Amino acid sequence: MRIGVFGAGYVGLVTAVCLAEIGHLLQVVEVDGDKVEKLNNGISTIYEPGLTELLERNISRGNIYFTNDSSSVIEHSEVIFLCVGTPPKPDGSADLSQIESAVREIARYAREDDFKLIVVKSTVPVGTAKQLRELVRNEMQGRRLNLEIASNPEFLREGSAVSDFMNPDRIVMGTVSARAQALLGSVYESFDCPKIFTSPETSEIIKYAANSFLATKISFINMVADLCEEVGADVSLVAEGMGYDKRIGPEFLRAGIGFGGSCFPKDLQAFLHVGKSKGLDFGLLEEVISINNRRSLRVVQKLKAHLNGLNGKKVSILGLAFKSNTDDVRESPAAKLIKLLAQEGAVIKATDPLSIENFRRMYPDLVEYVQFYEQAEAAVAGSHAAVVVTDWKEYKDLNWKQIKDSMARPVVFDTRNMLNADDMLDNNYEYLAIGKDIVHLTESLT
Ligand code: UGA
């Protein structure tokens, strides 16, 4: 099938490359000329495991092509996916201007009577497809355009997006007509997973509801983690005990420093905004957000208490990305943490296997407080405490036994509960974690 994609950002690039891999013929519109050139040469512009290999293969098979000429892509495609950005506006609502201008462009170049299905993949508030139908109507100006708007949200996680695309839990397709449903269904014909055919409105809500629910699980377990610390319980075991209940499930119950990234924080705000705009009480989501916003502060307070103040103390930040296996630092807990530590007068060193440059670009105001190190060992040397902020496997594999002697004081705060507590205590670290009173636990063992 001939498919167009608008936007070679994170979602657009993964979607286009994966659709090419399953045999469709893809043309991708991207406004950034440098990106177009790189991508046509097989160079991926984002870090995502497995993507480069698929990109190279499908360029050489002639299944994918990048351009900034939208008219030729519109001409070429029966189905056009919109994967452009929907950044938050200051009031938390989603800014749809990029989506709207893509739809206007398609309406401008589409031929009369030529059926084209415009599929919104970007995360957009409920009612967007309807709004875009209105927009198309206004753009027709007497022409007989045959454009339909559908919703087909993505459920890709950064760091495993290719595998998530290829092995989806489900595919949600929101269409108005039977023709659109059949066409969109045939794009995903080769996938063997539950397929939900519904209206665009239901489909749009599924995406926000799914992300909001996952974020709610995280804030819930973080709330429980705080209680565990107070009473000497272990949140990891609480989560395990809860997770075996099939109605709850084990996923997204890892307590920690809170969720970040380009999706959860933005989508929660947007869903909250939609609920409120309909006069509904979405206070549950307000609480999920505020629990999350307090996570970094709690870490700083615990560290401050443990070190007897932070002024002049050297603190190493292990991990700047919002989670492992990505170079993305958007809404990263590390940024909040650094800001709070700096306010307390700490001297901050930081490291990350992939994200130092992105961090410098995204948080130029914070950079003056931080000294960056390529290697974790160098970042930790001389410090009074190391804080594991991102769940990189590299930090689990560090030779903790060896680096201990390089530290001014062997304090490790594991905000992801990813290190082996027994090993850390055996190595004589002062080991702090989330939702576990480690000192109390070891005392009770002895
Ligand atoms: C999330 C969703 O998982 C995807 O399904 C969705 O498609 C995507 O948003 C999106 O809307 O585009 P992503 O933001 O890449 O994906 O990352 P997640 O793996 O979901 O993690 C989000 C945040 O929650 C991270 O900061 C992570 O460290 C944190 N997290 C996750 C926890 O603190 N605890 C957990 O148990 C799980």
Side-chain angles (χ1 to χ4, degrees):
M1 190 179 281
R2 286 173 292 113
I3 297 177
V5 171
F6 271 60
Y10 188 79
V11 173
L13 185 55
V14 173
T15 301
V17 169
C18 291
L19 288 173
E21 175 67 13
I22 60 169
H24 296 302
L25 298 174
L26 268 291
Q27 287 200 0
V28 184
V29 192
E30 170 54 52
V31 284
D32 181 337
D34 279 354
K35 254 192 195 176
V36 168
E37 197 184 325
K38 275 191 185 144
L39 290 167
N40 278 327
N41 285 314
I43 303 165
S44 177
T45 44
I46 57 167
Y47 172 79
E48 194 57 44
L51 189 63
T52 302
E53 202 186 316
L54 295 195
L55 177 65
E56 282 171 351
R57 181 160 61 230
N58 286 287
I59 286 173
S60 53
R61 284 160 84 192
N63 277 8
I64 192 165
Y65 171 69
F66 299 85
T67 174
N68 44 28
D69 175 11
S70 58
S71 64
S72 70
V73 174
I74 295 162
E75 166 96 3
H76 153 273
S77 315
E78 298 165 70
V79 178
I80 302 170
F81 283 91
L82 303 187
C83 302
V84 292
T86 52
K89 290 200 270 194
D91 66 359
S93 64
D95 178 354
L96 299 179
S97 54
Q98 294 180 49
I99 297 249
E100 287 164 357
S101 71
V103 170
R104 274 197 200 95
E105 222 161 311
I106 296 168
R108 189 179 325 134
Y109 292 114
R111 288 217 218 105
E112 284 197 85
D113 293 328
D114 194 4
F115 183 75
K116 289 199 187 295
L117 183 62
I118 303 173
V119 185
V120 180
K121 228 185 205 320
S122 315
T123 302
V124 293
V126 58
T128 299
K130 211 179 218 166
Q131 233 173 283
L132 295 176
R133 272 204 297 282
E134 253 334 282
L135 186 84
V136 168
R137 223 165 276 140
N138 292 339
E139 295 291 312
M140 284 213 215
Q141 293 161 351
R143 291 180 302 151
R144 285 199 318 270
L145 292 183
N146 201 356
L147 306 179
E148 183 171 329
I149 312 280
S151 158
N152 169 223
E154 53 85 17
F155 300 102
L156 311 176
R157 283 165 305 174
E158 289 189 23
S160 57
V162 170
S163 135
D164 287 348
F165 192 99
M166 292 303 192
N167 310 289
D169 288 344
R170 78 305 208 184
I171 298 173
V172 177
M173 292 171 263
T175 52
V176 175
S177 73
R179 181 178 188 177
Q181 178 172 320
L183 193 58
L184 191 51
S186 60
V187 170
Y188 293 109
E189 201 167 10
S190 57
F191 288 89
D192 180 23
C193 67
K195 291 174 185 169
I196 298 166
F197 292 102
T198 178
S199 67
E201 289 70 31
T202 302
S203 167
E204 287 163 348
I205 290 189
I206 288 173
K207 167 69 191 201
Y208 275 116
N211 272 4
S212 299
F213 189 74
L214 292 170
T216 302
K217 280 185 97 174
I218 299 171
S219 278
F220 182 88
I221 201 67
N222 282 335
M223 174 189 79
V224 174
D226 291 351
L227 176 64
C228 289
E229 282 170 22
E230 297 303 324
V231 301
D234 182 337
V235 74
S236 300
L237 295 175
V238 172
E240 192 182 337
M242 288 168 63
Y244 281 121
D245 186 326
K246 290 191 185 66
R247 296 167 300 174
I248 297 173
E251 303 279 336
F252 281 70
L253 285 180
R254 270 179 290 118
I257 192 163
F259 54 79
S262 64
C263 304
F264 284 0
K266 164 175 89 80
D267 292 354
L268 280 173
Q269 288 292 356
F271 205 30
L272 181 60
H273 189 269
V274 172
K276 277 185 173 172
S277 73
K278 300 290 172 200
L280 301 171
D281 181 356
F282 266 36
L284 172 63
L285 294 189
E286 270 171 332
E287 200 45 43
V288 170
I289 293 166
S290 86
I291 290 175
N292 197 56
N293 288 343
R294 294 195 295 266
R295 296 311 291 165
S296 298
L297 181 61
R298 188 166 168 95
V299 168
V300 171
Q301 283 168 339
K302 273 180 69 180
L303 192 61
K304 186 177 173 184
H306 190 84
L307 292 179
N308 244 328
L310 286 163
N311 197 16
K313 301 276 165 50
K314 291 184 188 142
V315 178
S316 306
I317 304 291
L318 300 189
L320 297 167
F322 81 97
K323 63 173 192 174
S324 58
N325 297 322
T326 176
D327 61 356
D328 196 339
V329 296
R330 285 175 289 179
E331 298 284 333
S332 171
K336 273 188 214 160
L337 192 67
I338 287 171
K339 203 177 283 173
L340 292 169
L341 287 169
Q343 279 165 9
E344 293 288 340
V347 178
I348 305 158
K349 311 197 308 172
T351 183
D352 189 281
L354 283 182
S355 314
I356 292 177
E357 283 321 306
N358 282 349
F359 194 86
R360 278 191 217 270
R361 261 196 303 276
M362 180 143 277
Y363 302 104
D365 52 323
L366 288 182
V367 162
E368 61 179 296
Y369 304 116
V370 187
Q371 232 183 320
F372 294 96
Y373 291 83
E374 292 291 327
Q375 301 302 328
E377 288 84 352
V380 166
S383 284
H384 299 95
V387 186
V388 178
V389 181
T390 310
D391 49 347
W392 284 108
K393 186 175 172 296
E394 280 83 341
Y395 303 146
K396 206 177 167 66
D397 296 344
L398 267 183
N399 190 338
W400 287 102
K401 190 174 184 164
Q402 197 181 320
I403 61 180
K404 181 175 155 269
D405 292 340
S406 73
M407 294 183 74
R409 183 173 165 182
V411 176
V412 171
F413 197 151
D414 178 5
T415 73
R416 298 287 187 162
N417 291 348
M418 61 180 287
L419 306 178
N420 185 312
D422 291 338
D423 287 351
M424 296 305 282
L425 295 171
D426 284 351
N427 287 328
N428 293 321
Y429 275 100
E430 297 166 55
Y431 177 70
L432 309 174
I434 298 281
K436 333 180 173 227
D437 182 355
I438 298 289
V439 179
H440 178 90
L441 286 178
T442 44
E443 273 171 356
S444 67
L445 291 175
T446 51

